[in-house]
Amino acid sequence: MSPENRSFPSPESQSPDQARGVLTRIAYGAMAAQAVGAAARFRIADLIGDGERTADELAADCVVRSEAMGRLLRALAGLGLLAENTPGRFALTPAGALLRSDGPESLHSFIRMFTDPAMLRAWEHLDDSLRTGEPAFDAVFGKDFFGYLAEDPELSAEFNAAMGQATRDTAALVPGAFDFGRFTTVADIGGGDGTLLAAILTAHPSLHGIVFDLREGLAQAPDNLARHGVEGRTSLVSGDFFTTAPEGADLYLLKSVIHDWNDEQCTDILRHCRRAVPDHGGLLIIEPVLPPVVDPAADGLAYIVDLNMLVNVGGRERTRDDFERLCRGAGFALRSVTPLPGPSRFSLIEAEPV
């Protein structure tokens, strides 16, 4: 969110009433997220579509009580996802339309994943993570986050779709923001369903690509790459980036991978890339880059994501200095950090072998 779209006044200009309002809205934030999650699970946006529906109609479709559905719809309207243009009849707003599972800009899977107990339950133990510095997820579920996904194919598919949806806006910016023409083959490490690589290959027809991920991470990649018409220029390689990296590329790309892991694990991942990349090749990390001090004009989302990394997977968001240290420890020299155009939170972190 850009500063001009802030929901609240800047901290230094808040009146006492505004300050109380900020804190109150934060306190109710988890409840608002659950209301949106329920809308996604009941596919309310799909049922409304391009028209208008009543609470009675939607309640019958969803097999819930009509009075309760009306209360949910009013809450969603209050959150800006629905519009009650005439009494009792609800239509989607542009934000609400993003909950449609069939929309080209859909965030349906993203919302379902980020309101799922698998993402939220460990947050109840944030205090423990703050005391220990370790993810609470492992203690709550008896295994780490990605191990948990591996045992639940349906949830794993939802996670893959959510990550693809979260990547889509960045994928639209990256191909034109970096000189991919210097390279012949891009290896997307932890590339999931191939959303980012497909966008890069579409914009650069001479490039070839490799999507490297665990077997369950690649499950949706064949269909997605075929949908973009780049399957003929892409290889799918199953493997664990803690033990290896695929050979045959001259650019190694990692988006939203480094922030999932602690410094030691990140160094291992980057060292495997260093062993695979030729001396004339490159490394491109795509992550948010935290400023040295908190920017009061920013929306603060990066710091909530940082806590999510702590609680669920043991990772973290990082500053430029952090990335420079990681690269240096793995045999790379950080060359540049280039923020993508707003409203993206991501930067292109380019490094080269040394």
mmCIF file of all heavy atoms in Angstrom, residues 264-302:
data_model
loop_
_atom_site.group_PDB
_atom_site.id
_atom_site.type_symbol
_atom_site.label_atom_id
_atom_site.label_comp_id
_atom_site.label_asym_id
_atom_site.label_seq_id
_atom_site.Cartn_x
_atom_site.Cartn_y
_atom_site.Cartn_z
ATOM 1 N N GLU A 264 21.632 -19.415 8.301
ATOM 2 C CA GLU A 264 22.415 -20.611 7.973
ATOM 3 C C GLU A 264 21.779 -21.372 6.822
ATOM 4 O O GLU A 264 22.469 -21.817 5.891
ATOM 5 C CB GLU A 264 22.527 -21.505 9.202
ATOM 6 C CG GLU A 264 23.362 -22.755 8.980
ATOM 7 C CD GLU A 264 23.465 -23.623 10.219
ATOM 8 O OE1 GLU A 264 22.961 -23.196 11.288
ATOM 9 O OE2 GLU A 264 24.041 -24.720 10.127
ATOM 10 N N GLN A 265 20.459 -21.530 6.855
ATOM 11 C CA GLN A 265 19.769 -22.242 5.777
ATOM 12 C C GLN A 265 19.874 -21.473 4.466
ATOM 13 O O GLN A 265 20.076 -22.064 3.400
ATOM 14 C CB GLN A 265 18.307 -22.457 6.162
ATOM 15 C CG GLN A 265 18.106 -23.436 7.308
ATOM 16 C CD GLN A 265 16.690 -23.396 7.850
ATOM 17 O OE1 GLN A 265 16.117 -22.332 8.080
ATOM 18 N NE2 GLN A 265 16.107 -24.570 8.053
ATOM 19 N N CYS A 266 19.726 -20.139 4.533
ATOM 20 C CA CYS A 266 19.845 -19.329 3.313
ATOM 21 C C CYS A 266 21.235 -19.454 2.702
ATOM 22 O O CYS A 266 21.384 -19.530 1.475
ATOM 23 C CB CYS A 266 19.549 -17.864 3.623
ATOM 24 S SG CYS A 266 17.825 -17.526 4.012
ATOM 25 N N THR A 267 22.255 -19.475 3.544
ATOM 26 C CA THR A 267 23.608 -19.621 3.038
ATOM 27 C C THR A 267 23.774 -20.954 2.322
ATOM 28 O O THR A 267 24.419 -21.028 1.259
ATOM 29 C CB THR A 267 24.623 -19.490 4.194
ATOM 30 O OG1 THR A 267 24.479 -18.202 4.799
ATOM 31 C CG2 THR A 267 26.049 -19.645 3.682
ATOM 32 N N ASP A 268 23.185 -22.009 2.868
ATOM 33 C CA ASP A 268 23.236 -23.313 2.195
ATOM 34 C C ASP A 268 22.582 -23.248 0.814
ATOM 35 O O ASP A 268 23.135 -23.747 -0.181
ATOM 36 C CB ASP A 268 22.537 -24.379 3.039
ATOM 37 C CG ASP A 268 23.351 -24.808 4.247
ATOM 38 O OD1 ASP A 268 24.565 -24.537 4.268
ATOM 39 O OD2 ASP A 268 22.767 -25.405 5.174
ATOM 40 N N ILE A 269 21.397 -22.641 0.744
ATOM 41 C CA ILE A 269 20.691 -22.532 -0.535
ATOM 42 C C ILE A 269 21.537 -21.772 -1.549
ATOM 43 O O ILE A 269 21.712 -22.190 -2.700
ATOM 44 C CB ILE A 269 19.332 -21.829 -0.331
ATOM 45 C CG1 ILE A 269 18.396 -22.673 0.540
ATOM 46 C CG2 ILE A 269 18.665 -21.535 -1.687
ATOM 47 C CD1 ILE A 269 17.155 -21.932 1.017
ATOM 48 N N LEU A 270 22.091 -20.642 -1.134
ATOM 49 C CA LEU A 270 22.872 -19.807 -2.039
ATOM 50 C C LEU A 270 24.182 -20.481 -2.442
ATOM 51 O O LEU A 270 24.652 -20.318 -3.580
ATOM 52 C CB LEU A 270 23.141 -18.450 -1.399
ATOM 53 C CG LEU A 270 21.900 -17.563 -1.188
ATOM 54 C CD1 LEU A 270 22.276 -16.285 -0.457
ATOM 55 C CD2 LEU A 270 21.228 -17.242 -2.513
ATOM 56 N N ARG A 271 24.776 -21.242 -1.543
ATOM 57 C CA ARG A 271 26.016 -21.953 -1.894
ATOM 58 C C ARG A 271 25.772 -23.011 -2.964
ATOM 59 O O ARG A 271 26.604 -23.222 -3.855
ATOM 60 C CB ARG A 271 26.627 -22.576 -0.646
ATOM 61 C CG ARG A 271 27.391 -21.579 0.232
ATOM 62 C CD ARG A 271 27.891 -22.211 1.502
ATOM 63 N NE ARG A 271 28.675 -21.252 2.284
ATOM 64 C CZ ARG A 271 28.979 -21.408 3.568
ATOM 65 N NH1 ARG A 271 28.579 -22.505 4.207
ATOM 66 N NH2 ARG A 271 29.685 -20.491 4.201
ATOM 67 N N HIS A 272 24.620 -23.674 -2.889
ATOM 68 C CA HIS A 272 24.304 -24.646 -3.940
ATOM 69 C C HIS A 272 24.127 -23.937 -5.281
ATOM 70 O O HIS A 272 24.558 -24.454 -6.324
ATOM 71 C CB HIS A 272 23.051 -25.432 -3.563
ATOM 72 C CG HIS A 272 23.251 -26.366 -2.403
ATOM 73 N ND1 HIS A 272 24.245 -27.301 -2.376
ATOM 74 C CD2 HIS A 272 22.579 -26.478 -1.234
ATOM 75 C CE1 HIS A 272 24.186 -27.972 -1.226
ATOM 76 N NE2 HIS A 272 23.192 -27.488 -0.521
ATOM 77 N N CYS A 273 23.516 -22.768 -5.260
ATOM 78 C CA CYS A 273 23.406 -21.988 -6.497
ATOM 79 C C CYS A 273 24.783 -21.572 -6.999
ATOM 80 O O CYS A 273 25.046 -21.602 -8.216
ATOM 81 C CB CYS A 273 22.540 -20.751 -6.266
ATOM 82 S SG CYS A 273 20.797 -21.092 -5.921
ATOM 83 N N ARG A 274 25.665 -21.206 -6.061
ATOM 84 C CA ARG A 274 27.015 -20.781 -6.480
ATOM 85 C C ARG A 274 27.770 -21.926 -7.137
ATOM 86 O O ARG A 274 28.521 -21.715 -8.108
ATOM 87 C CB ARG A 274 27.791 -20.258 -5.257
ATOM 88 C CG ARG A 274 29.227 -19.828 -5.576
ATOM 89 C CD ARG A 274 29.230 -18.698 -6.581
ATOM 90 N NE ARG A 274 30.574 -18.379 -7.062
ATOM 91 C CZ ARG A 274 31.127 -18.862 -8.170
ATOM 92 N NH1 ARG A 274 30.456 -19.751 -8.917
ATOM 93 N NH2 ARG A 274 32.328 -18.496 -8.550
ATOM 94 N N ARG A 275 27.590 -23.146 -6.629
ATOM 95 C CA ARG A 275 28.279 -24.289 -7.234
ATOM 96 C C ARG A 275 27.771 -24.552 -8.647
ATOM 97 O O ARG A 275 28.512 -25.027 -9.508
ATOM 98 C CB ARG A 275 28.086 -25.524 -6.360
ATOM 99 C CG ARG A 275 28.779 -25.458 -5.008
ATOM 100 C CD ARG A 275 28.714 -26.785 -4.274
ATOM 101 N NE ARG A 275 29.231 -26.645 -2.915
ATOM 102 C CZ ARG A 275 28.460 -26.577 -1.828
ATOM 103 N NH1 ARG A 275 27.147 -26.671 -1.955
ATOM 104 N NH2 ARG A 275 29.000 -26.446 -0.639
ATOM 105 N N ALA A 276 26.488 -24.252 -8.877
ATOM 106 C CA ALA A 276 25.891 -24.560 -10.178
ATOM 107 C C ALA A 276 26.083 -23.460 -11.207
ATOM 108 O O ALA A 276 26.162 -23.729 -12.411
ATOM 109 C CB ALA A 276 24.393 -24.846 -10.006
ATOM 110 N N VAL A 277 26.151 -22.214 -10.785
ATOM 111 C CA VAL A 277 26.179 -21.095 -11.727
ATOM 112 C C VAL A 277 27.576 -20.952 -12.325
ATOM 113 O O VAL A 277 28.589 -21.090 -11.625
ATOM 114 C CB VAL A 277 25.752 -19.784 -11.026
ATOM 115 C CG1 VAL A 277 26.773 -19.329 -10.007
ATOM 116 C CG2 VAL A 277 25.475 -18.686 -12.045
ATOM 117 N N PRO A 278 27.687 -20.704 -13.629
ATOM 118 C CA PRO A 278 29.011 -20.442 -14.223
ATOM 119 C C PRO A 278 29.538 -19.092 -13.767
ATOM 120 O O PRO A 278 28.778 -18.233 -13.302
ATOM 121 C CB PRO A 278 28.721 -20.459 -15.727
ATOM 122 C CG PRO A 278 27.271 -20.126 -15.848
ATOM 123 C CD PRO A 278 26.602 -20.693 -14.638
ATOM 124 N N ASP A 279 30.843 -18.911 -13.909
ATOM 125 C CA ASP A 279 31.460 -17.679 -13.421
ATOM 126 C C ASP A 279 30.919 -16.439 -14.120
ATOM 127 O O ASP A 279 30.962 -15.338 -13.560
ATOM 128 C CB ASP A 279 32.983 -17.753 -13.606
ATOM 129 C CG ASP A 279 33.632 -18.748 -12.646
ATOM 130 O OD1 ASP A 279 32.985 -19.109 -11.640
ATOM 131 O OD2 ASP A 279 34.769 -19.158 -12.913
ATOM 132 N N HIS A 280 30.422 -16.594 -15.362
ATOM 133 C CA HIS A 280 29.868 -15.432 -16.074
ATOM 134 C C HIS A 280 28.380 -15.244 -15.791
ATOM 135 O O HIS A 280 27.749 -14.341 -16.336
ATOM 136 C CB HIS A 280 30.060 -15.612 -17.582
ATOM 137 C CG HIS A 280 29.277 -16.768 -18.145
ATOM 138 N ND1 HIS A 280 29.771 -18.061 -18.156
ATOM 139 C CD2 HIS A 280 28.032 -16.837 -18.698
ATOM 140 C CE1 HIS A 280 28.878 -18.867 -18.703
ATOM 141 N NE2 HIS A 280 27.810 -18.150 -19.047
ATOM 142 N N GLY A 281 27.807 -16.107 -14.945
ATOM 143 C CA GLY A 281 26.368 -16.068 -14.680
ATOM 144 C C GLY A 281 25.992 -15.081 -13.593
ATOM 145 O O GLY A 281 26.790 -14.219 -13.190
ATOM 146 N N GLY A 282 24.759 -15.206 -13.116
ATOM 147 C CA GLY A 282 24.265 -14.260 -12.128
ATOM 148 C C GLY A 282 23.260 -14.867 -11.181
ATOM 149 O O GLY A 282 22.772 -15.993 -11.357
ATOM 150 N N LEU A 283 22.949 -14.100 -10.153
ATOM 151 C CA LEU A 283 21.959 -14.456 -9.135
ATOM 152 C C LEU A 283 20.992 -13.294 -9.012
ATOM 153 O O LEU A 283 21.411 -12.131 -8.939
ATOM 154 C CB LEU A 283 22.649 -14.706 -7.794
ATOM 155 C CG LEU A 283 21.738 -14.927 -6.579
ATOM 156 C CD1 LEU A 283 21.080 -16.308 -6.642
ATOM 157 C CD2 LEU A 283 22.539 -14.784 -5.275
ATOM 158 N N LEU A 284 19.684 -13.595 -9.004
ATOM 159 C CA LEU A 284 18.668 -12.568 -8.834
ATOM 160 C C LEU A 284 17.722 -13.006 -7.727
ATOM 161 O O LEU A 284 17.006 -14.002 -7.862
ATOM 162 C CB LEU A 284 17.892 -12.344 -10.141
ATOM 163 C CG LEU A 284 16.834 -11.239 -10.106
ATOM 164 C CD1 LEU A 284 17.485 -9.884 -9.833
ATOM 165 C CD2 LEU A 284 16.051 -11.189 -11.416
ATOM 166 N N ILE A 285 17.734 -12.278 -6.623
ATOM 167 C CA ILE A 285 16.845 -12.518 -5.488
ATOM 168 C C ILE A 285 15.745 -11.465 -5.540
ATOM 169 O O ILE A 285 16.022 -10.274 -5.713
ATOM 170 C CB ILE A 285 17.611 -12.420 -4.156
ATOM 171 C CG1 ILE A 285 18.726 -13.467 -4.105
ATOM 172 C CG2 ILE A 285 16.671 -12.592 -2.976
ATOM 173 C CD1 ILE A 285 19.672 -13.287 -2.924
ATOM 174 N N ILE A 286 14.509 -11.892 -5.402
ATOM 175 C CA ILE A 286 13.376 -10.965 -5.416
ATOM 176 C C ILE A 286 12.678 -11.059 -4.067
ATOM 177 O O ILE A 286 12.041 -12.064 -3.755
ATOM 178 C CB ILE A 286 12.409 -11.283 -6.569
ATOM 179 C CG1 ILE A 286 13.154 -11.270 -7.905
ATOM 180 C CG2 ILE A 286 11.256 -10.279 -6.589
ATOM 181 C CD1 ILE A 286 12.293 -11.658 -9.097
ATOM 182 N N GLU A 287 12.844 -10.040 -3.273
ATOM 183 C CA GLU A 287 12.308 -10.003 -1.907
ATOM 184 C C GLU A 287 12.027 -8.550 -1.530
ATOM 185 O O GLU A 287 12.625 -7.627 -2.102
ATOM 186 C CB GLU A 287 13.331 -10.555 -0.908
ATOM 187 C CG GLU A 287 13.755 -11.994 -1.100
ATOM 188 C CD GLU A 287 12.885 -12.970 -0.314
ATOM 189 O OE1 GLU A 287 11.932 -12.525 0.353
ATOM 190 O OE2 GLU A 287 13.162 -14.177 -0.387
ATOM 191 N N PRO A 288 11.186 -8.318 -0.525
ATOM 192 C CA PRO A 288 11.160 -6.988 0.083
ATOM 193 C C PRO A 288 12.501 -6.707 0.750
ATOM 194 O O PRO A 288 13.155 -7.627 1.253
ATOM 195 C CB PRO A 288 10.035 -7.094 1.128
ATOM 196 C CG PRO A 288 9.229 -8.280 0.725
ATOM 197 C CD PRO A 288 10.201 -9.234 0.078
ATOM 198 N N VAL A 289 12.923 -5.470 0.741
ATOM 199 C CA VAL A 289 14.147 -5.058 1.422
ATOM 200 C C VAL A 289 13.755 -4.019 2.466
ATOM 201 O O VAL A 289 13.264 -2.936 2.128
ATOM 202 C CB VAL A 289 15.180 -4.485 0.438
ATOM 203 C CG1 VAL A 289 16.421 -3.993 1.186
ATOM 204 C CG2 VAL A 289 15.575 -5.544 -0.597
ATOM 205 N N LEU A 290 13.945 -4.361 3.726
ATOM 206 C CA LEU A 290 13.572 -3.448 4.801
ATOM 207 C C LEU A 290 14.528 -2.264 4.852
ATOM 208 O O LEU A 290 15.736 -2.426 4.635
ATOM 209 C CB LEU A 290 13.602 -4.175 6.143
ATOM 210 C CG LEU A 290 12.633 -5.345 6.322
ATOM 211 C CD1 LEU A 290 12.827 -5.971 7.707
ATOM 212 C CD2 LEU A 290 11.190 -4.911 6.142
ATOM 213 N N PRO A 291 14.020 -1.086 5.157
ATOM 214 C CA PRO A 291 14.916 0.061 5.337
ATOM 215 C C PRO A 291 15.684 -0.084 6.653
ATOM 216 O O PRO A 291 15.299 -0.866 7.525
ATOM 217 C CB PRO A 291 13.948 1.249 5.381
ATOM 218 C CG PRO A 291 12.674 0.668 5.907
ATOM 219 C CD PRO A 291 12.604 -0.733 5.352
ATOM 220 N N PRO A 292 16.768 0.688 6.817
ATOM 221 C CA PRO A 292 17.536 0.596 8.072
ATOM 222 C C PRO A 292 16.712 0.941 9.302
ATOM 223 O O PRO A 292 16.925 0.387 10.377
ATOM 224 C CB PRO A 292 18.681 1.592 7.858
ATOM 225 C CG PRO A 292 18.797 1.738 6.372
ATOM 226 C CD PRO A 292 17.408 1.571 5.836
ATOM 227 N N VAL A 293 15.773 1.867 9.165
ATOM 228 C CA VAL A 293 14.838 2.203 10.246
ATOM 229 C C VAL A 293 13.429 2.200 9.665
ATOM 230 O O VAL A 293 13.238 2.368 8.457
ATOM 231 C CB VAL A 293 15.154 3.580 10.882
ATOM 232 C CG1 VAL A 293 16.531 3.567 11.525
ATOM 233 C CG2 VAL A 293 15.061 4.693 9.846
ATOM 234 N N VAL A 294 12.437 2.013 10.511
ATOM 235 C CA VAL A 294 11.050 1.934 10.056
ATOM 236 C C VAL A 294 10.608 3.267 9.463
ATOM 237 O O VAL A 294 10.791 4.332 10.076
ATOM 238 C CB VAL A 294 10.117 1.539 11.219
ATOM 239 C CG1 VAL A 294 8.658 1.548 10.770
ATOM 240 C CG2 VAL A 294 10.487 0.161 11.753
ATOM 241 N N ASP A 295 10.038 3.209 8.278
ATOM 242 C CA ASP A 295 9.520 4.394 7.602
ATOM 243 C C ASP A 295 8.100 4.667 8.115
ATOM 244 O O ASP A 295 7.196 3.860 7.903
ATOM 245 C CB ASP A 295 9.491 4.142 6.088
ATOM 246 C CG ASP A 295 8.950 5.320 5.300
ATOM 247 O OD1 ASP A 295 8.568 6.337 5.914
ATOM 248 O OD2 ASP A 295 8.891 5.215 4.056
ATOM 249 N N PRO A 296 7.863 5.806 8.783
ATOM 250 C CA PRO A 296 6.525 6.068 9.313
ATOM 251 C C PRO A 296 5.471 6.262 8.231
ATOM 252 O O PRO A 296 4.278 6.170 8.510
ATOM 253 C CB PRO A 296 6.719 7.359 10.123
ATOM 254 C CG PRO A 296 7.928 8.009 9.542
ATOM 255 C CD PRO A 296 8.813 6.883 9.092
ATOM 256 N N ALA A 297 5.894 6.507 6.981
ATOM 257 C CA ALA A 297 4.933 6.677 5.887
ATOM 258 C C ALA A 297 4.523 5.349 5.273
ATOM 259 O O ALA A 297 3.596 5.300 4.468
ATOM 260 C CB ALA A 297 5.517 7.585 4.803
ATOM 261 N N ALA A 298 5.209 4.262 5.635
ATOM 262 C CA ALA A 298 4.887 2.948 5.072
ATOM 263 C C ALA A 298 3.723 2.329 5.836
ATOM 264 O O ALA A 298 3.393 2.729 6.952
ATOM 265 C CB ALA A 298 6.116 2.038 5.126
ATOM 266 N N ASP A 299 3.104 1.304 5.209
ATOM 267 C CA ASP A 299 1.923 0.713 5.849
ATOM 268 C C ASP A 299 2.262 -0.339 6.898
ATOM 269 O O ASP A 299 1.393 -0.815 7.607
ATOM 270 C CB ASP A 299 0.980 0.117 4.800
ATOM 271 C CG ASP A 299 1.592 -1.046 4.021
ATOM 272 O OD1 ASP A 299 2.723 -1.459 4.358
ATOM 273 O OD2 ASP A 299 0.932 -1.535 3.095
ATOM 274 N N GLY A 300 3.509 -0.731 6.992
ATOM 275 C CA GLY A 300 3.924 -1.660 8.034
ATOM 276 C C GLY A 300 3.700 -3.120 7.724
ATOM 277 O O GLY A 300 4.027 -3.986 8.536
ATOM 278 N N LEU A 301 3.147 -3.434 6.548
ATOM 279 C CA LEU A 301 2.840 -4.830 6.230
ATOM 280 C C LEU A 301 4.094 -5.702 6.242
ATOM 281 O O LEU A 301 4.051 -6.861 6.677
ATOM 282 C CB LEU A 301 2.148 -4.921 4.873
ATOM 283 C CG LEU A 301 1.779 -6.321 4.382
ATOM 284 C CD1 LEU A 301 0.822 -7.006 5.353
ATOM 285 C CD2 LEU A 301 1.165 -6.258 2.987
ATOM 286 N N ALA A 302 5.214 -5.155 5.787
ATOM 287 C CA ALA A 302 6.442 -5.953 5.731
ATOM 288 C C ALA A 302 6.822 -6.485 7.099
ATOM 289 O O ALA A 302 7.378 -7.588 7.212
ATOM 290 C CB ALA A 302 7.585 -5.115 5.152
#
